Each structure stands twice: as structure tokens, then as C-alpha cells.
Amino acid sequence: MTPALVAGLEEDFMQCNISVRLVDYLNPTDQLDLLTLLDMYARDEMGGGDPLSEEVKSRLCRDLADHPGAMSLIASVDHHPVGLLNAFLGYSTFKARPLMNVHDIAVHPDFRGRGVGQTLLKALEEYAIAMNCCKLTLEVLSGNRVAQKSYERFGFEQYALNEATGQALFMQKWL
């Protein structure tokens, strides 16, 4: 999918004209917008509360440009960046097709509840369909009910093969 196709996805929602663009990791303006929005998210309670380190800021965009399957979207209102979505292409062995995993989604506090997150998810869905993905996946903190409600409104649901085996849990081990 071309950046023009993603950039053409605009929505007038609750008197908020939102445009979305595919990030070019090597473009200085996109780099600044991505790092500013991601740092805002990192400093938020739901992002861990700590700013991005200077070391991370210095190499993140180059690393993302070199990472196959990395993609990011920036939502803007009146040409001001207000939202970010970072995602990575994965693969479903059960469907033998790619999948798209949302790694970060962040909306500036002044624009929450105005459709920015939903617009970013819609743009990602269009991108994933164009990539022949079978599904979108994401993780969310159990205490982040606002985000959970937003994802549920978009159609996400907790993953379970059947009731007897229970719901999937996201786990990690730092290396």
C-alpha cells in the first residue's frame, strides 16, 4: 500500500478532521514526529512513566527502517501530529498468512476520545488487508480499561481457542 493511499484516509469525527500518513523512517519530519509522540507515550503512566533514553532516540528510526515488516502511522489534526501507531508484520502458522501486530498506539491527551485511535486502527486495517494479513493482534494492560473499550469498539476481542483451554495471556522474559 502506498503512503498516498494511507494519507488519503481522512475522517471527520466529532468535529476533528484527522489525517493519517505512513511514516518514512528516514524523513527528518517523520522522525521528529514519531520520537515526540513515542516519548509522550513512554512518559505516560500506561507507557511506563519514563522518557525514552537518548540512546534509543538516536537510533530508533534507523533501526525501524532496517527492520523488515516494521510500519508506523501518524495521525494529524490540522497538520499537527496527535497520534502514533507502530506495528510489525508477523506470520500465522495456522492460517499460513501474515498478521499485523500493534506494538504501540498513543494519542496526545488533548485529543483522546475524539476518534484518533479509531482512525489509526482503521488505517492499519486497510494496510493489513492490502498486505493479505489474516488478522490484527495487540496487547493491552489489564488496568487500561479506556484502551480496552476502544479496541473492543473496533472489533478486537480476547483470544481463546475454546472455553476449556482459556484465554491467551501475553507474557515476556527480558534478555
Side-chain angles (χ1 to χ4, degrees):
M1 179 137 107
T2 66
L5 185 55
V6 173
L9 198 148
E10 294 186 4
E11 184 175 320
D12 187 17
F13 186 87
M14 294 179 70
Q15 303 169 345
C16 188
N17 189 24
I18 304 164
S19 61
V20 176
R21 73 181 188 272
L22 186 63
V23 170
D24 174 352
Y25 296 121
L26 303 180
N27 176 297
T29 300
D30 285 357
Q31 290 175 349
L32 178 61
D33 291 347
L34 184 146
L35 291 173
T36 300
L37 289 163
L38 189 62
D39 188 61
M40 173 206 67
Y41 175 45
R43 291 170 186 265
D44 188 271
E45 177 184 29
M46 293 302 170
D50 295 318
L52 296 177
S53 71
E54 290 305 315
E55 189 265 335
V56 166
K57 289 180 188 178
S58 71
R59 66 181 176 80
L60 179 63
C61 290
R62 172 63 66 186
D63 287 0
L64 288 171
D66 292 340
H67 193 293
M71 65 87 61
S72 299
L73 300 168
I74 291 178
S76 297
V77 173
D78 297 327
H79 307 289
H80 298 290
V82 298
L84 171 69
L85 187 151
N86 293 316
F88 294 90
L89 195 61
Y91 193 78
S92 169
T93 54
F94 284 9
K95 297 292 183 183
R97 288 178 48 201
L99 60 83
M100 188 65 69
N101 179 258
V102 177
H103 190 72
D104 305 300
I105 186 165
V107 176
H108 189 282
D110 294 345
F111 289 86
R112 292 179 183 159
R114 297 176 65 187
V116 175
Q118 296 290 302
T119 301
L120 283 165
L121 289 169
K122 180 64 177 163
L124 178 66
E125 180 178 62
E126 295 293 327
Y127 184 92
I129 289 169
M131 298 292 293
N132 194 34
C133 292
C134 63
K135 66 179 175 178
L136 300 176
T137 62
L138 57 76
E139 63 197 66
V140 61
L141 296 173
S142 61
N144 193 345
R145 289 298 304 149
V146 172
Q148 289 175 43
K149 291 288 186 193
S150 178
Y151 301 144
E152 289 167 2
R153 263 194 320 277
F154 194 77
F156 281 94
E157 57 190 16
Q158 291 192 17
Y159 168 69
L161 295 173
N162 63 55
E163 282 187 37
T165 59
Q167 295 176 340
L169 301 175
F170 184 82
M171 299 173 73
Q172 73 176 10
K173 177 183 177 185
W174 290 105
L175 303 176

